[in-house]
Amino acid sequence: MATIVVGVTGGVAAFKAPIVVRECQRAGHDVYVAATQASLDFVGRSTWEGITSRPVVVDIAGEGRAEHVELARIADLIIVVPATANSLAHLAAGFADDMVSLTVLASDAPVVVAPAMHSNMWLAPATQANVRTLRERGVHVIDPTSGALGSGDSGVGRLPEPELIARQALAVLAEHQQASCALAGRRLVVTAGGTREPIDPVRFLGNRSSGRQGLAIASAAAHAGGSVQVIAANIESALLSALPAGVQVTRVGSALQMRDATIAAVARADALVMTAAVADFRPEVASVSKMKKDPTNEDVPTIRLIRNPDILAEIGHSEQRPPLVVGFAAETGTDEEILAYGADKAARKGADFICLNRVGESVGFGDVPNDIRLLDASGRIVGRYVGSKDEVATGLVGHMASFLDSLKR
């Protein structure tokens, strides 16, 4: 049995929402209702309380402001029905001025919205842009159908039949529940961020990696039931604090520190995912004091570099390697060039898969989309994931879970 929150907004189609609640109850689920004040003009409190046998949560003066946190905490699925043009705009913009939008914003449960409105409002560029935004964030939008509208007109914008809404929403719930236990009992180590190799106490050799993709993979693996340890190199504390509860974090700075921490962690792991951008070289000697510019001398200091250990190859070819090893390669160039490099790296590193990550001004590093090709050990492309860091992470974690499952057969 799952806990489902049905959010009802102020459209005339709200009279169909009780059927959605009933269908979810018939499927054996526990249902709570969060309603906007406007929606009560169409379906009143007594109706909701009679159907659910519990108070309906409404955004009215005098009502506590913590209900949305509690509903968000217990929700396994949120269904917004009907979703008016106004509520779609609120959800897309992240507003939180009614109990429905508050609950959605505070929850990490899957969200299904069923829009209903006049045709002109549905087809308006602003509404379509809001729908695209929600879909890009992973919200499941059930398109309205064509037919008679509450205004007396006819056209697209009619709420689909409530039985269909419930059926599609419950399918989303089932898929989410299946994914949420895909890595149950598995231990994963994820390296993330960029190493910094000290030149002196204030300077270092580094790179632009933010660690966002690695943290997204760690989050997706945790949500899939895995036990996750992150080896974090120079990642902002705010990003680390957003990781799911239970994810263990080990902070490191340099490549040598990452090597030691990773080798220690993988001894008990089922999978290693090395997203970290590890420096290939480090200064042979780091100055113990700040290197100062001598105004009387035009010469510049020479910094001699030496190679850092290849952590991925060392673990990939060791007897202690975990059953699954995934490496990352951030590359620039043409498709042919980066694929050739990725195939070469896959052959050399001893990894089961290499994630070939195209990077550039608008792709790859930082809070920008990713474009990843997944290569197997022979260099053959076995998957491609394009989109936000979270979308890419979800795809990769699903592939990893399937691979680990195949090892048990």
Side-chain angles (χ1 to χ4, degrees):
M1 181 179 72
T3 298
I4 298 174
V5 175
V6 174
V8 187
T9 68
V12 67
F15 77 92
K16 294 184 178 180
I19 303 175
V20 175
V21 172
R22 281 296 195 197
E23 290 298 308
C24 293
Q25 290 174 326
R26 287 194 180 103
H29 302 297
D30 197 13
V31 182
Y32 291 73
V33 171
T36 65
Q37 184 66 47
S39 74
L40 297 183
D41 292 337
F42 302 99
V43 182
R45 282 178 175 271
S46 59
T47 299
W48 293 125
E49 292 171 359
I51 293 173
T52 63
S53 300
R54 54 172 53 93
V56 59
V57 181
V58 185
D59 52 315
I60 59 174
E63 190 164 341
R65 298 291 287 177
E67 286 89 345
H68 68 286
V69 176
E70 178 61 16
L71 286 181
R73 184 186 66 79
I74 65 175
D76 298 304
L77 173 71
I78 299 174
I79 309 171
V80 181
V81 55
T84 62
N86 185 59
S87 64
L88 291 176
H90 275 61
L91 295 176
F95 288 170
D97 56 358
D98 61 62
M99 200 55 68
V100 175
S101 59
L102 275 168
T103 303
V104 172
L105 194 62
S107 177
D108 59 2
V111 178
V112 176
V113 299
M117 64 199 72
H118 191 274
S119 301
N120 292 346
M121 299 175 71
W122 170 250
L123 297 174
T127 300
Q128 291 300 304
N130 289 332
V131 169
R132 285 194 299 272
T133 296
L134 292 173
R135 282 179 165 147
E136 288 169 359
R137 294 176 185 164
V139 174
H140 302 265
V141 181
I142 302 175
D143 285 335
T145 61
S146 296
L149 304 175
S151 62
D153 295 330
S154 181
V156 66
R158 180 183 176 89
L159 188 75
E161 291 306 311
E163 293 84 359
L164 174 64
I165 294 171
R167 187 161 61 248
Q168 292 192 22
L170 293 176
V172 169
L173 174 64
E175 181 180 354
H176 180 75
Q177 289 177 325
Q178 183 178 6
S180 67
C181 61
L183 289 175
R186 305 286 193 181
R187 177 176 171 79
L188 297 90
V189 176
V190 180
T191 70
T195 63
R196 295 177 178 178
E197 311 306 316
I199 297 172
D200 62 22
V202 298
R203 301 180 179 93
F204 59 85
L205 299 177
N207 56 68
R208 294 176 58 197
S209 178
S210 66
R212 292 176 185 271
Q213 185 62 80
L215 298 187
I217 291 172
S219 295
H223 288 310
S227 174
V228 183
Q229 179 177 357
V230 175
I231 313 297
N234 306 296
I235 297 177
E236 295 178 11
S237 296
L239 295 177
L240 293 174
S241 65
L243 286 168
V247 173
Q248 181 183 349
V249 176
T250 300
R251 290 177 177 266
V252 297
S254 67
L256 293 179
Q257 292 172 349
M258 176 162 282
R259 174 188 178 272
D260 292 344
T262 305
I263 289 175
V266 299
R268 306 178 305 280
D270 296 292
L272 168 65
V273 186
M274 287 208 64
T275 71
V278 182
D280 294 321
F281 306 98
R282 71 180 185 275
E284 183 176 33
V285 177
S287 175
V288 296
S289 59
K290 180 182 176 181
M291 299 170 63
K292 297 185 179 295
K293 180 173 64 176
D294 185 351
T296 65
N297 189 342
E298 293 297 322
D299 293 338
V300 296
T302 298
I303 300 175
R304 178 178 172 80
L305 301 179
I306 59 175
R307 287 184 179 274
N308 270 324
D310 189 329
I311 305 172
L312 177 60
E314 182 177 352
I315 293 175
H317 291 295
S318 72
E319 294 182 358
Q320 289 74 36
R321 78 187 300 279
L324 172 60
V325 175
V326 181
F328 268 65
E331 291 299 320
T332 60
T334 66
D335 279 355
E336 293 75 13
E337 289 170 340
I338 66 173
L339 286 172
Y341 182 83
D344 175 68
K345 189 168 186 177
R348 291 186 291 108
K349 298 292 186 176
D352 298 289
F353 299 99
I354 293 291
C355 295
L356 195 56
N357 183 19
R358 179 188 291 278
V359 297
E361 288 300 319
S362 60
V363 177
F365 289 133
D367 189 16
V368 295
N370 247 355
D371 181 355
I372 285 179
R373 293 167 175 85
L374 186 65
L375 279 60
D376 65 12
S378 67
R380 180 172 59 95
I381 297 177
V382 294
R384 184 174 184 182
Y385 307 99
V386 181
S388 68
K389 299 291 195 293
D390 289 337
E391 290 169 332
V392 168
T394 298
L396 287 174
V397 166
H399 191 97
M400 291 163 52
S402 297
F403 180 85
L404 288 170
D405 284 343
S406 72
L407 299 180
K408 298 188 297 185
R409 301 181 188 133

